[in-house]
Amino acid sequence: MAKMTADEKNDRKVYMQRFTAMGGQVIAYPDMRITVAVVPCLRNAKRSRFAHVSIAQCSHADKFKRKRGELIALERMACGYLFAVPMDGRELWEVADSVAEFLGNWQ
């Protein structure tokens, strides 16, 4: 995969600013070649019972690039390509870990 263009870098920056303002986190798992974006369904994370999740998975034919994965996961989140998972009192990083572990078991 080619280097990110200036437009892609800017898009990633804008998505990341908006996403973190909503209380979201993006976590890369290079060993599994997965990037997971997680945001509480409600703005108040303590009251949210569910989180929205989007993922980006790197092909084994490509070199894993964290920033590329972040851009893809955030674009998918912005476009509504996401799914909801129960938070069950977990922190966002714990939700991301669970999703990555689940996906890693399918590889």
Side-chain angles (χ1 to χ4, degrees):
M1 175 130 319
K3 285 189 164 195
M4 289 176 58
T5 66
D7 285 340
E8 288 173 328
K9 289 177 182 179
N10 186 58
D11 288 348
R12 181 188 155 275
K13 182 179 177 181
V14 170
Y15 282 134
M16 192 67 83
Q17 287 172 343
R18 291 179 184 167
F19 190 68
T20 54
M22 295 181 344
Q25 292 183 351
V26 183
I27 302 171
Y29 299 89
D31 54 326
M32 290 187 264
R33 309 178 68 75
I34 296 169
T35 303
V36 181
V38 186
V39 66
C41 290
L42 299 176
R43 287 210 183 252
N44 182 346
K46 299 293 182 201
R47 293 183 52 215
S48 188
R49 294 179 57 209
F50 288 86
H52 284 145
V53 177
S54 63
I55 60 166
Q57 186 173 18
C58 180
S59 166
H60 287 285
D62 294 328
K63 181 178 178 185
F64 181 83
K65 301 211 178 203
R66 178 185 56 85
K67 291 182 180 181
R68 171 75 63 190
E70 289 173 353
L71 174 62
I72 293 168
L74 291 169
E75 282 179 334
R76 289 179 176 165
M77 181 74 68
C79 292
Y81 297 114
L82 51 87
F83 55 96
V85 297
M87 288 192 57
D88 293 330
R90 298 177 291 177
E91 298 291 328
L92 293 178
W93 67 267
E94 293 172 306
V95 173
D97 281 358
S98 294
V99 169
E101 181 181 344
F102 174 79
L103 293 172
N105 290 332
W106 286 93
Q107 291 184 5

